[in-house]
Amino acid sequence: MTTTIGTVSGVPGLLSETEIAQSAESLASLQLPSGAIPWFPGGHCDPWNHVEAAMALTVTGYPDRARAAYRWLADKQLGDGSWFNYYQGDQVKDARLDTNVCAYVAAGLYHYLFATGDVDFCVELWPVVERAIDFVLRYQHRDGTIAWSLDPLGKRESYALLTGSSSIFHSLRCAVALGERLDVDKPSWELAAGRLGHAVANHPGAFARRTNSRWTGTTRSSRVRWWARPE
């Protein structure tokens, strides 16, 4: 799909240009005055899907709405660089801290830079990305995998999720690329990304095996149970 800010061509056989514009308008209408983008009217907001929505707004003619979405993340970021899983308006709906969710802002902001060339805004939001990535990397294991979350009481879950770690790897690559574009050197991030990428590609046993017999938590990752051996 070829895109420019303000104009999105259709996807032959799937979506017309008009249908994409209608979807973008509907998405923009969901955004709250705070900048948060809930799943549906009156629904909750989670930072991962929120970033996905911001990326869609970026390439469909709503870069101002996308900037508001990223500024909402800046406003809600906790002191350690994380975000809670779910927000309902101004309230926290799920207090779990998911490393994959927290890393994804890097992917979103790099996408914004790639699409708009707006370096100034990325400089403004860089501290948000820096805190988020530093938070995530505190939970990297010796084998390169990353613990998937901290429970609502702040206890680290010792196991790693293959899906979540793969997404974190993508976010780390985006964070490194963003840093390079902003002339910020982050060699420790590059090393961490390399270790994680090696684990994902070569050591599936470092991640949990799927089982249908256990269930905990309320996040996307917990709906597919992946248990990993403790570090």
Side-chain angles (χ1 to χ4, degrees):
M1 183 172 71
T2 302
T3 65
T4 58
I5 298 303
T7 303
V8 180
S9 64
V11 182
L14 295 176
L15 290 169
S16 68
E17 184 175 340
T18 298
E19 288 171 327
I20 291 175
Q22 289 172 340
S23 295
E25 183 178 356
S26 176
L27 184 60
S29 72
L30 284 173
Q31 191 170 37
L32 304 177
S34 65
I37 305 172
W39 282 24
F40 49 84
H44 65 268
C45 173
D46 80 83
W48 199 97
N49 281 290
H50 175 85
V51 169
E52 286 279 287
M55 287 194 281
L57 291 172
T58 298
V59 295
T60 53
Y62 295 91
D64 54 336
R65 297 296 192 103
R67 288 190 292 272
Y70 290 117
R71 286 183 172 126
W72 178 84
L73 285 173
D75 181 62
K76 290 296 183 182
Q77 190 174 38
L78 300 174
D80 63 1
S82 67
W83 289 273
F84 293 120
N85 256 8
Y86 293 152
Y87 296 83
Q88 185 84 44
D90 292 330
Q91 304 298 314
V92 175
K93 185 175 180 181
D94 179 357
R96 182 175 292 275
L97 308 179
D98 185 323
T99 51
N100 167 43
V101 168
C102 295
Y104 204 53
V105 64
L109 198 62
Y110 184 61
H111 172 270
Y112 175 87
L113 177 63
F114 189 83
T116 68
D118 186 354
V119 173
D120 290 343
F121 181 71
C122 293
V123 169
E124 175 189 336
L125 269 289
W126 173 253
V128 174
V129 173
E130 189 170 32
R131 288 191 294 267
I133 297 300
D134 285 345
F135 165 79
V136 171
L137 293 183
R138 291 185 199 119
Y139 301 100
Q140 187 166 36
H141 299 152
R142 289 189 298 271
D143 62 5
T145 63
I146 294 178
W148 85 274
S149 75
L150 280 72
D151 71 18
L153 297 178
K155 179 182 177 182
R156 185 184 74 166
E157 305 283 8
S158 62
Y159 52 90
L161 303 176
L162 179 59
T163 49
S165 292
S166 299
S167 179
I168 292 171
F169 174 64
H170 172 67
S171 293
L172 284 173
R173 292 183 65 194
C174 290
V176 170
L178 180 62
E180 290 176 349
R181 182 67 176 82
L182 301 182
D183 198 24
V184 180
D185 188 24
K186 285 289 184 179
S188 63
W189 291 4
E190 293 186 60
L191 178 60
R195 292 173 58 212
L196 178 57
H198 180 79
V200 168
N202 298 290
H203 298 289
F207 301 92
R209 293 168 295 178
R210 181 179 295 184
T211 173
N212 295 322
S213 64
R214 305 190 69 174
W215 173 279
T216 60
T218 57
T219 65
R220 290 179 305 278
S221 297
S222 67
R223 291 179 192 139
V224 178
R225 296 305 305 153
W226 292 86
W227 291 94
R229 61 177 183 269
E231 187 178 5

